[in-house]
Amino acid sequence: MRYSDFTSYDLVLLAQGLATTIGLFLATSLIGLVIGALWAVIRFYRVPALTQLVGFLAEILKNSPVLVQLFLVFFGFPAFFKVNVTPVEAAVITLSANTAAFVYVIIVAAIESIAREQVEAARVFGLTRWQVLRHVIAPQAAAFSVGPLVALLVNQLQVTSLISVIGVVDLTKIGNILNLRTLKPFIVWSVVGLLYYLAAKLVATLGTRFEDRLRAHSAFRGL
């Protein structure tokens, strides 16, 4: 290994690693948001058996290390079920499930924060349970949950760095490769850390702007 400065090819590798990280983050965040919201709806409707199953899955996922979950999906599932799982597939499954568990908890907390009197009043006026969920609960729950969801997404972006251990060539993996080639750990990991920071800052900024618009829209509707 030779001691050398960053080259244009190194910058290309960093850009590719960042693109992989962001791509997986966006995909798993979207999947996790959808699944977590569906789990919250199942709890709202108190679907027999499914409510208990969803609660159990969320409890396991949010209270166990993501790295252990990743190893279970990548190494454990193929050995037990005799199936092939690629590193990217394992990363998508693990991060999506982990995100869904925390989204579920956030949305349930937001729903339960809504005054019960509002729900009962809506039912008195003849609204079905679906109409109550759509017109009364969902708008308020969305306003309450945006802040915690943004914080969750910022955290999940950082959690993506774990997927490099199973061979996904993300930003962290590229950083490790460049570190071994250049033998400049301070410079390499400073650059990698800065890229993660900028990506997280972008997510937080966009989330804050969306939250402000949502609250302003909710206030306007309340006038």
Side-chain angles (χ1 to χ4, degrees):
M1 296 177 220
R2 64 190 182 87
Y3 188 81
S4 61
D5 296 323
F6 278 115
T7 65
S8 58
Y9 182 65
D10 294 336
L11 298 178
V12 171
L13 288 178
L14 286 170
Q16 291 176 341
L18 180 61
T20 299
T21 292
I22 293 176
L24 284 173
F25 163 72
L26 292 175
T28 56
S29 295
L30 180 60
I31 296 171
L33 286 169
V34 172
I35 294 176
L38 288 175
W39 286 0
V41 171
I42 289 174
R43 178 186 170 92
F44 175 77
Y45 281 104
R46 301 190 182 280
V47 180
L50 286 181
T51 300
Q52 289 75 17
L53 176 61
V54 164
F56 174 75
L57 288 175
E59 190 72 15
I60 292 294
L61 290 169
K62 70 185 181 70
N63 289 313
S64 60
V66 178
L67 190 58
V68 172
Q69 298 172 19
L70 193 61
F71 285 161
L72 177 62
V73 174
F74 187 61
F75 296 112
F77 283 6
F80 188 79
F81 295 106
K82 306 301 180 183
V83 295
N84 294 321
V85 179
T86 67
V88 172
E89 290 171 346
V92 170
I93 293 171
T94 304
L95 296 180
S96 297
N98 187 261
T99 300
F102 286 98
V103 169
Y104 165 78
V105 172
I106 291 171
I107 295 179
V108 167
I111 291 175
E112 292 180 347
S113 68
I114 299 171
R116 198 67 191 172
E117 292 78 9
Q118 295 186 47
V119 177
E120 293 174 354
R123 296 300 297 271
V124 168
F125 281 103
L127 273 67
T128 65
R129 198 161 189 179
W130 165 249
Q131 290 173 324
V132 171
L133 177 63
R134 179 181 177 184
H135 299 292
V136 178
I137 295 177
Q140 296 182 69
F144 289 141
S145 61
V146 169
L149 285 175
V150 172
L152 169 65
L153 293 181
V154 170
N155 180 73
Q156 293 302 89
L157 174 62
Q158 298 165 359
V159 169
T160 60
S161 61
L162 295 175
I163 64 179
S164 63
V165 300
I166 61 171
V168 179
V169 187
D170 66 336
L171 182 56
T172 300
K173 188 69 172 181
I174 292 298
N176 189 48
I177 292 171
L178 294 181
N179 179 55
L180 292 175
R181 186 183 68 77
T182 65
L183 298 180
K184 289 187 174 181
F186 181 80
I187 296 177
V188 170
W189 294 116
S190 292
V191 171
V192 170
L194 178 61
L195 291 174
Y196 272 111
Y197 168 78
L198 293 175
K201 188 67 175 179
L202 178 61
V203 172
T205 300
L206 292 176
T208 300
R209 290 183 178 179
F210 178 73
E211 182 179 11
D212 291 341
R213 289 187 178 183
L214 185 61
R215 290 187 183 278
H217 180 66
S218 298
F220 176 76
R221 290 183 60 182
L223 293 177

